[in-house]
Amino acid sequence: MLKPQLPQNPTANVAGSSPVIHGGHPAAPAPARRSLPSVSTGAVATVLLGGVVLTALLTAVAVSAISVAVAAVVLRSLLNSQNRR
């Protein structure tokens, strides 16, 4: 009851429709599938190297900023302690 039933003749036309008649023209060939552009390993290495260099520069800037901030806090503390005396 719940199983779908296939028609006996799947190539038969639907009632009231006319068959499609193609002219004598051959069917156009399907377009060829284009492959993805190849990426050279040199380009990949350049991008990775650039990422590593930029990360190293960002890390150097962050470490420098932290060290300057620590030095500023220490100097401020030293100067405040001398002013109190």
Side-chain angles (χ1 to χ4, degrees), residues 4 19-21 24-25 33 36 43-44 46 56 65 69 73-74 81:
V20 177
I21 300 173
H25 304 291
R33 296 180 78 186
L36 294 174
V44 173
T46 302
V73 169
V74 169
S81 67

CSV table of all heavy atoms in Angstrom, one decimal, residues 4 19-21 24-25 33 36 43-44 46 56 65 69 73-74 81:
chain,number,residue,atom,x,y,z
A,4,PRO,N,5.8,2.8,-3.6
A,4,PRO,CA,5.4,3.5,-4.9
A,4,PRO,C,5.4,2.4,-6.0
A,4,PRO,O,6.1,1.5,-6.1
A,4,PRO,CB,6.6,4.4,-5.1
A,4,PRO,CG,7.7,3.9,-4.3
A,4,PRO,CD,7.1,3.1,-3.1
A,19,PRO,N,4.5,13.9,-29.1
A,19,PRO,CA,5.9,13.5,-28.9
A,19,PRO,C,6.8,14.7,-29.4
A,19,PRO,O,6.4,15.4,-30.3
A,19,PRO,CB,6.1,12.3,-29.8
A,19,PRO,CG,5.0,12.3,-30.7
A,19,PRO,CD,3.8,13.0,-30.1
A,20,VAL,N,7.9,14.8,-28.8
A,20,VAL,CA,8.9,15.9,-29.2
A,20,VAL,C,9.7,15.3,-30.4
A,20,VAL,O,10.3,14.3,-30.3
A,20,VAL,CB,9.8,16.2,-28.0
A,20,VAL,CG1,10.8,17.3,-28.5
A,20,VAL,CG2,9.0,16.7,-26.9
A,21,ILE,N,9.7,16.1,-31.5
A,21,ILE,CA,10.4,15.7,-32.7
A,21,ILE,C,11.5,16.7,-32.8
A,21,ILE,O,11.3,17.9,-32.9
A,21,ILE,CB,9.5,15.7,-33.9
A,21,ILE,CG1,8.3,14.7,-33.7
A,21,ILE,CG2,10.3,15.4,-35.1
A,21,ILE,CD1,7.3,14.8,-34.8
A,24,GLY,N,16.8,17.5,-37.8
A,24,GLY,CA,17.9,16.7,-38.2
A,24,GLY,C,19.2,17.3,-37.6
A,24,GLY,O,20.3,16.8,-37.9
A,25,HIS,N,19.1,18.2,-36.7
A,25,HIS,CA,20.3,18.8,-36.1
A,25,HIS,C,20.9,17.9,-35.0
A,25,HIS,O,20.1,17.4,-34.1
A,25,HIS,CB,20.1,20.2,-35.5
A,25,HIS,CG,19.5,21.1,-36.5
A,25,HIS,ND1,20.2,21.6,-37.5
A,25,HIS,CD2,18.2,21.6,-36.6
A,25,HIS,CE1,19.4,22.4,-38.2
A,25,HIS,NE2,18.2,22.4,-37.7
A,33,ARG,N,34.3,20.4,-18.9
A,33,ARG,CA,34.5,20.8,-17.5
A,33,ARG,C,35.8,21.4,-17.4
A,33,ARG,O,36.8,20.8,-17.7
A,33,ARG,CB,34.3,19.7,-16.5
A,33,ARG,CG,32.9,19.1,-16.6
A,33,ARG,CD,32.7,18.0,-15.6
A,33,ARG,NE,32.6,18.6,-14.2
A,33,ARG,CZ,32.5,17.9,-13.1
A,33,ARG,NH1,32.7,16.6,-13.2
A,33,ARG,NH2,32.4,18.5,-12.0
A,36,LEU,N,40.2,23.3,-12.0
A,36,LEU,CA,40.6,24.4,-11.2
A,36,LEU,C,41.9,24.9,-11.5
A,36,LEU,O,42.8,24.1,-11.9
A,36,LEU,CB,40.5,24.0,-9.7
A,36,LEU,CG,39.2,23.6,-9.1
A,36,LEU,CD1,39.3,23.1,-7.7
A,36,LEU,CD2,38.3,24.8,-9.1
A,43,ALA,N,54.0,29.7,-4.9
A,43,ALA,CA,53.1,30.7,-4.4
A,43,ALA,C,52.6,30.3,-3.0
A,43,ALA,O,52.4,31.2,-2.2
A,43,ALA,CB,51.9,30.7,-5.4
A,44,VAL,N,52.4,29.1,-2.8
A,44,VAL,CA,51.9,28.6,-1.4
A,44,VAL,C,53.0,28.9,-0.4
A,44,VAL,O,52.7,29.4,0.7
A,44,VAL,CB,51.5,27.1,-1.5
A,44,VAL,CG1,51.2,26.6,-0.1
A,44,VAL,CG2,50.3,26.9,-2.4
A,46,THR,N,55.3,31.2,-0.6
A,46,THR,CA,55.4,32.6,-0.4
A,46,THR,C,54.3,33.1,0.6
A,46,THR,O,54.6,33.9,1.5
A,46,THR,CB,55.3,33.3,-1.7
A,46,THR,OG1,56.3,32.8,-2.6
A,46,THR,CG2,55.4,34.8,-1.6
A,56,ALA,N,55.4,37.1,13.2
A,56,ALA,CA,56.6,37.4,14.1
A,56,ALA,C,56.7,38.9,14.3
A,56,ALA,O,57.0,39.3,15.5
A,56,ALA,CB,57.8,36.9,13.3
A,65,ALA,N,55.5,46.5,23.4
A,65,ALA,CA,54.5,47.3,24.1
A,65,ALA,C,54.4,46.9,25.5
A,65,ALA,O,54.3,47.7,26.4
A,65,ALA,CB,53.2,47.2,23.3
A,69,ALA,N,55.3,49.2,28.8
A,69,ALA,CA,54.2,49.4,29.8
A,69,ALA,C,54.7,49.0,31.2
A,69,ALA,O,54.5,49.7,32.2
A,69,ALA,CB,53.0,48.6,29.5
A,73,VAL,N,55.3,51.6,34.5
A,73,VAL,CA,54.7,51.3,35.8
A,73,VAL,C,55.8,51.3,36.9
A,73,VAL,O,55.7,51.9,37.9
A,73,VAL,CB,54.0,50.0,35.8
A,73,VAL,CG1,53.6,49.6,37.2
A,73,VAL,CG2,52.7,50.1,34.9
A,74,VAL,N,57.0,50.7,36.6
A,74,VAL,CA,58.1,50.7,37.5
A,74,VAL,C,58.6,52.1,37.8
A,74,VAL,O,58.8,52.5,38.9
A,74,VAL,CB,59.2,49.7,37.1
A,74,VAL,CG1,60.5,49.9,37.9
A,74,VAL,CG2,58.7,48.3,37.1
A,81,SER,N,57.4,57.1,45.0
A,81,SER,CA,58.0,56.8,46.3
A,81,SER,C,59.0,57.9,46.7
A,81,SER,O,59.2,58.2,47.9
A,81,SER,CB,58.6,55.4,46.3
A,81,SER,OG,59.8,55.4,45.4
